[in-house]
Amino acid sequence: MLKMTKNIFKITAILGCAVITLGSCSKGNPPLVYFPDMYFPVAYDPLMKAQDAYSKHGNEIPAFVKNNGATGLGPVDGTVAQNPEGLADPAANKAMVPLEYNAGYDESKLITASPLDAANQAKDLTRGKLLYDQTCAACHGTAGDGQGPIVVSGAYAGVPKYTDREITIGSVHYVLTHGRNSMGSYAGQLTPGDRWRVSLYIMSEFKGGLSAAPAVVAANATPVAGMAEPAAPSTSPKK
């Protein structure tokens, strides 16, 4: 009798496990979802009015209501602006074939001045040095001789000296934005203004200053509407 009772329990347990296992294999949605935000993800368009995913009324979050329901909000007061100069660079992640890249690089060599305000040049050079030491010196060296600690360690080679290169502030900025050879783009690490500051520092520190030729400012470094205007560009015929 005891043996029969144990067998009944075993059979019941096996059948129960089978029912649970088969039930969990259903291709339909489960009748109860504990975390609907994870199970049914809701994508928001930042330029459209946000809708509450689980009710028929519109989103009543005060910040969205003040913005006419849109979720694309402006910077919070007191936060640091990411592009205070208002410079608009072409998209750094634009896919370019070698012919396009080389044409852009050759054109950038004609740029001999940055769009930054010349009155702030001392501050721009100070920040440019700081960013260069943090971002570039590991390979290019603090002396601009291509003997940074990564190169000296033997982990990487082929970094040229700035004194051996025919560069302008425009071509340095172009390489920082788009990369060149084994060097990748730094557009994701440096803002448009900071890329010009690093370029300014490199030309000032390692190339004896900017070219004495008439200054030509990048035509595509245009100010974003509603932000500070950069220094007005001067014109010069291409060489």
Side-chain angles (χ1 to χ4, degrees), residues 2-20:
L2 182 60
K3 187 176 181 180
M4 183 180 295
T5 302
K6 289 183 178 180
N7 289 336
I8 291 174
F9 279 129
K10 287 181 180 180
I11 294 172
T12 303
I14 292 172
L15 290 175
C17 290
V19 170
I20 294 173

Side-chain angles (χ1 to χ4, degrees), residues 111-233:
I111 300 169
T112 57
S114 81
L116 300 172
D117 189 347
N120 298 326
Q121 189 170 102
K123 291 181 179 179
D124 289 337
L125 283 170
T126 299
R127 179 162 176 79
K129 173 178 171 29
L130 173 67
L131 294 170
Y132 176 89
D133 289 343
Q134 293 176 343
T135 310
C136 313
C139 289
H140 289 276
T142 55
D145 55 2
Q147 294 298 305
I150 292 178
V151 176
V152 172
S153 71
Y156 193 75
V159 180
K161 297 180 181 180
Y162 285 117
T163 54
D164 295 339
R165 304 286 289 176
E166 293 183 6
I167 57 176
T168 68
I169 189 171
S171 67
V172 175
H173 178 268
Y174 187 88
V175 172
L176 281 169
T177 302
H178 300 286
R180 185 167 180 81
N181 298 326
S182 297
M183 174 180 161
S185 167
Y186 277 79
Q189 289 82 5
L190 300 171
T191 65
D194 281 344
R195 273 176 267 145
W196 283 111
R197 292 184 180 94
V198 172
S199 305
L200 180 66
Y201 172 74
I202 289 172
M203 295 301 298
S204 176
E205 184 70 13
F206 308 127
K207 296 296 287 184
L210 300 178
S211 171
V216 179
V217 181
N220 54 24
T222 53
V224 177
M227 302 193 73
E229 293 275 350

Side-chain angles (χ1 to χ4, degrees), residues 33-42 54:
V33 179
Y34 291 99
F35 300 100
D37 285 330
M38 298 178 66
Y39 198 85
F40 302 105
V42 179
Y54 309 110

Side-chain angles (χ1 to χ4, degrees), residues 90-124:
N93 61 348
K94 176 182 179 293
M96 291 189 288
V97 298
L99 194 62
E100 289 177 303
Y101 175 91
N102 290 330
Y105 180 71
D106 291 340
E107 186 176 351
S108 72
K109 284 191 172 183
L110 301 176
I111 300 169
T112 57
S114 81
L116 300 172
D117 189 347
N120 298 326
Q121 189 170 102
K123 291 181 179 179
D124 289 337

